[in-house]
Amino acid sequence: MKHLSKNTMLSMVIVGMALGTAWAIRGQFGHEQGAAWAGGIGSLCIIVLSRNKSWYNKAMKAAFAGAVGWGLGGMMSYGAVVGYGRGVDFVNVYYGLSMLFIIGGLYGLIGGGLFGLVLADHPEKKVKWHQVIIEITTGGVIFYYFIIEQLGIAMTPPRSEAWGVCAGIGIAMMYYLARKKQYSAMRVAVFAGLGGGFGFAFGNFLQVLGNVGQVPFNMWNVMEYSLGFFGGLGMAYGAYTSPWPQEKPTTLYTYSNLTIPMVGFLLLIPFIVWQQSFVEKDLEPTIGKLVSEPGIWISMAQSVAFVAFLIPAIFWIYFISNKKNKLSQELSFGEVHGIFISYFAVYIIFTILITGSFLSFYRIEQFLYILNFAVILALIPKATPLFSSRKAHPQKWILMVLGILVFIALISLIAISSHGEMQGMNKRFE
């Protein structure tokens, strides 16, 4: 780590905190849309901190690509796998933590790879996005039907085996990056994957120890934060230590194919989260525990959440679209920073509303999100990463994977020696 300056390491920690906080919030929403929002926050944080003007002009595309990549992993089921990690024998626990390493790794691999591919997109080396989409879709379908359906290799029966789709997507994406010599995007993908995988496995270990020690805190949330923190740390490391193409300074903003990423990132993802999460029958059990007549509070939460995401989305879409009529069309640090603040703040508002935390302090972690947010905003002006160029070293990456698997074996031994049978324990092997 001698090649990293203090400012670069601080920037990486800030990104880790941003994605960690967002991923912990994601636990309230789940599925692809919740993961996409969190992934978009982490991706946008990397761009804000970069102080790279050419990256600011790519902010919407890169953040949307990162959101889609992290969001795709949301289709994977991991509840039963977490239960394997709560077991009492080495084989099941090691299997569970290792599979969480794979699942978390796929989150980061796909999210980091698509994010990095936008950063690598250059007029002299254009990315053919239609080809990328076709190849990763084909890879996902082929891998799933061959490995899962044909060979019957299951990770978490009888749950969904959608991890096979994500594995196929990740393999196809890496093959594309290698074939097109997009080594910088590949580094971002690999380190985001290593970070996300390590974070998920280590987070489950922390959850087990916390439950054994009867820590009065939401330890599932700790596991989620760990995945996001280390995934963000790895993605930022890959972004700040890779060689990127030099682009000519310009005052012209690139509007080609901007509508889909801009509307998708700022409007569609928050809308889907709102539409899927703020449902009266789902809110009633939570709000009903806090007040005697929950109906009016549920309606208020639904309305506030709708306005909270809609107004910033309309404002930023109109603002960015209107820049093409101005003399200076490029996006500035202040503007990208403003988008990051509003996008992140709305996600926090959503979780405060959906948990009923605006009525009670019963969920202390919800208020820690606000504290994390404040610390992140306070640190951003103090951090400017010093970019360095590191080459792709597949051999070292393999050694890192092996090192993590050895570490997982050690924490598996610690975990099984710390407790007997636990609630929520699952067995994959008898």
Side-chain angles (χ1 to χ4, degrees):
M1 290 294 179
K2 292 181 180 179
H3 58 283
L4 296 177
S5 67
K6 290 183 179 179
N7 262 332
T8 305
M9 288 189 283
L10 177 60
S11 299
M12 290 166 52
V13 170
I14 294 170
V15 175
M17 290 179 64
L19 187 51
T21 303
W23 203 265
I25 293 172
R26 180 253 173 180
Q28 301 301 325
F29 306 104
H31 306 296
E32 294 85 348
Q33 63 271 15
W37 199 335
I41 288 171
S43 301
L44 197 57
C45 188
I46 291 174
I47 295 172
V48 170
L49 287 162
S50 72
R51 305 303 199 279
N52 187 330
K53 291 183 179 180
S54 64
W55 280 15
Y56 293 154
N57 284 353
K58 294 180 175 181
M60 289 299 95
K61 290 182 180 179
F64 183 62
V68 170
W70 283 90
L72 284 171
M75 70 176 76
M76 293 185 285
S77 172
Y78 56 78
V81 185
V82 170
Y84 301 148
R86 301 169 70 87
V88 293
D89 63 287
F90 178 79
V91 172
N92 277 294
V93 173
Y94 185 70
Y95 174 82
L97 296 186
S98 298
M99 293 306 101
L100 289 177
F101 173 60
I102 291 175
I103 293 171
L106 289 172
Y107 274 119
L109 184 79
I110 302 170
L114 294 182
F115 171 72
L117 200 52
V118 175
L119 299 182
D121 199 355
H122 189 267
E124 298 175 5
K125 195 176 183 181
K126 293 293 293 180
V127 174
K128 297 179 180 178
W129 286 102
H130 63 283
Q131 184 179 352
V132 175
I133 294 170
I134 290 171
E135 289 192 20
I136 64 175
T137 302
T138 303
V141 172
I142 291 175
F143 188 95
Y144 178 83
Y145 279 97
F146 181 70
I147 299 297
I148 310 299
E149 297 294 336
Q150 187 65 33
L151 299 183
I153 299 175
M155 177 190 288
T156 174
R159 300 287 186 90
S160 165
E161 301 292 342
W163 68 271
V165 178
C166 293
I169 290 172
I171 292 169
M173 183 194 70
M174 292 298 284
Y175 176 63
Y176 175 89
L177 296 178
R179 200 173 71 248
K180 298 296 183 180
K181 298 182 179 179
Q182 294 284 11
Y183 299 128
S184 295
M186 186 182 290
R187 289 188 80 255
V188 179
V190 168
F191 285 108
L194 289 173
F198 171 83
F200 209 178
F202 184 62
N204 192 26
F205 169 70
L206 294 178
Q207 181 192 186
V208 169
L209 293 189
N211 290 336
V212 170
Q214 298 182 331
V215 177
F217 192 76
N218 184 346
M219 295 306 297
W220 186 281
N221 218 222
V222 171
M223 178 181 67
E224 293 168 327
Y225 190 95
S226 177
L227 191 166
F229 178 81
F230 288 104
L233 203 70
M235 190 162 69
Y237 174 79
Y240 296 145
T241 60
S242 296
W244 300 102
Q246 295 295 319
E247 299 188 23
K248 296 178 181 179
T250 178
T251 58
L252 298 178
Y253 187 77
T254 303
Y255 282 88
S256 60
N257 302 320
L258 183 64
T259 302
I260 291 176
M262 184 170 62
V263 174
F265 182 71
L266 295 172
L267 182 62
L268 187 60
I269 291 173
F271 171 75
I272 295 174
V273 172
W274 175 82
Q275 189 267 338
Q276 292 291 311
S277 302
F278 285 86
V279 181
E280 184 173 358
K281 66 179 180 63
D282 295 333
L283 290 173
E284 191 167 6
T286 300
I287 305 296
K289 293 178 182 178
L290 304 175
V291 292
S292 57
E293 296 182 4
I296 188 171
W297 293 102
I298 291 173
S299 297
M300 185 274 291
Q302 291 171 327
S303 301
V304 170
F306 185 78
V307 172
F309 87 81
L310 187 63
I311 291 178
I314 292 174
F315 172 80
W316 286 117
I317 291 172
Y318 174 79
F319 179 85
I320 295 171
S321 300
N322 200 44
K323 285 182 75 68
K324 59 185 175 184
N325 298 319
K326 296 181 179 180
L327 182 63
S328 179
Q329 297 180 13
E330 78 276 11
L331 285 177
S332 67
F333 166 81
E335 291 160 355
V336 178
H337 189 213
I339 295 172
F340 170 75
I341 292 173
S342 62
Y343 200 70
F344 200 164
V346 172
Y347 206 30
I348 294 174
I349 291 171
F350 267 41
T351 190
I352 295 293
L353 290 171
I354 202 171
T355 59
S357 297
F358 62 98
L359 293 169
S360 170
F361 290 97
Y362 80 113
R363 293 283 296 272
I364 187 63
E365 78 277 0
Q366 301 296 309
F367 301 95
L368 291 178
Y369 301 152
I370 299 174
L371 177 61
N372 269 259
F373 183 55
V375 172
I376 291 165
L377 296 187
L379 290 177
I380 284 177
K382 303 178 185 299
T384 302
L386 180 63
F387 281 71
S388 58
S389 296
R390 310 285 290 182
K391 294 181 180 179
H393 291 291
Q395 298 88 348
K396 289 185 178 180
W397 300 341
I398 293 172
L399 291 176
M400 289 179 187
V401 171
L402 294 176
I404 291 173
L405 290 176
V406 170
F407 178 78
I408 289 175
L410 293 175
I411 61 176
S412 297
L413 290 172
I414 295 172
I416 62 176
S417 65
S418 68
H419 63 84
E421 292 193 1
M422 297 181 67
Q423 184 178 0
M425 181 184 75
N426 288 326
K427 280 190 175 183
R428 179 66 177 90
F429 307 104
E430 295 296 335

